[in-house]
Amino acid sequence: MVRPPLTPRTVIRTAADLADAQGLDEVTLSAVARELDVRTPSLYAHVRDLAALRDGVTILALGELADRDGDAIAGRAGRDALRALCDAHRDYARAHPGRWQSLQRRAGDAVVRSDEAARSSRALAAVLRGYGVDESDQVHATRLVGAFLNGFLHLEHVGSFAHSAPPADDSWLLLIDRLDALLDHWHTKGEK
């Protein structure tokens, strides 16, 4: 088997695949080097250090998720767009658990400044605009949606919902409905 050329993209993609298979905590420079059948020092020409490697996985995940989000919400608004965005995140978390885990860590400056982070933010901003959430409130609404997604998907991933009825799918739909209602009435927050 011919080994692909060693590039930053190859190193990051290998790290992301390793994260999906074994968990983000198992992604180390030496583990990625073993996967690529190279010596660890060879990676330093492509990634600065472990933090940069993990930031690379996060940037990759943000880009992949932004693509899914954009496709999911295209031509939709309100609850349909919210449900599509939430489902895209849930599907991604299930298909790529290590990449998803990389989104649950404090991001470095390279992640924050990346085009992928900006694209990912735009999808949720588009959903929120459909609800009439003022730009000045979008950060709060973004945090609310993010807290729902991250909390639910983490608890589902670790099996917290496996031992009680109703099934998690029922709660998922109900909570999206409640989130939809809250966002639909966001503009009335200051009215008495």
Side-chain angles (χ1 to χ4, degrees):
M1 181 173 166
V2 177
R3 182 178 59 193
L6 202 58
T7 65
R9 180 180 169 86
T10 304
V11 172
I12 298 301
R13 188 158 297 280
T14 300
D17 292 344
L18 183 62
D20 285 341
Q22 298 180 17
L24 187 64
D25 292 340
E26 299 303 315
V27 174
T28 63
L29 290 166
S30 60
V32 172
R34 277 192 302 279
E35 289 290 314
L36 290 167
D37 195 28
V38 299
R39 295 184 52 195
T40 303
S42 301
L43 298 182
Y44 289 108
H46 307 285
V47 292
R48 184 183 68 250
D49 55 20
L50 180 59
L53 179 67
R54 290 185 178 172
D55 278 352
V57 173
T58 303
I59 291 169
L60 174 69
L62 283 168
E64 291 173 346
L65 198 51
D67 290 343
R68 286 179 180 227
D69 287 348
D71 290 345
I73 68 170
R76 297 183 172 165
R79 187 194 181 284
D80 289 341
L82 178 66
R83 166 87 191 272
L85 181 123
C86 289
D87 285 347
H89 281 247
R90 192 179 192 201
D91 293 344
Y92 188 79
R94 288 174 168 175
H96 299 289
R99 285 168 165 88
W100 178 262
Q101 188 181 6
S102 79
L103 299 172
Q104 312 312 309
R105 56 185 279 278
R106 185 179 179 110
D109 288 340
V111 174
V112 174
R113 291 189 318 269
S114 71
D115 291 338
E116 292 82 354
R119 286 181 35 234
S120 183
S121 295
R122 283 194 295 269
L124 180 52
V127 171
L128 296 176
R129 278 192 304 277
Y131 283 100
V133 176
D134 291 335
E135 193 171 324
S136 62
D137 274 351
Q138 282 194 7
V139 68
H140 306 299
T142 296
R143 289 173 179 168
L144 174 67
V145 174
F148 161 67
L149 288 170
N150 295 331
F152 191 98
L153 296 176
H154 171 74
L155 291 171
E156 184 175 48
H157 177 73
V158 300
S160 294
F161 304 141
H163 305 291
S164 62
D169 287 345
D170 291 357
S171 295
W172 179 254
L173 295 175
L174 177 75
L175 294 173
I176 290 172
D177 284 343
R178 297 303 184 262
L179 192 54
D180 167 64
L182 191 148
L183 291 171
D184 196 40
H185 291 89
W186 191 280
H187 62 282
T188 62
K189 71 177 179 31
E191 297 174 9
K192 302 273 184 205

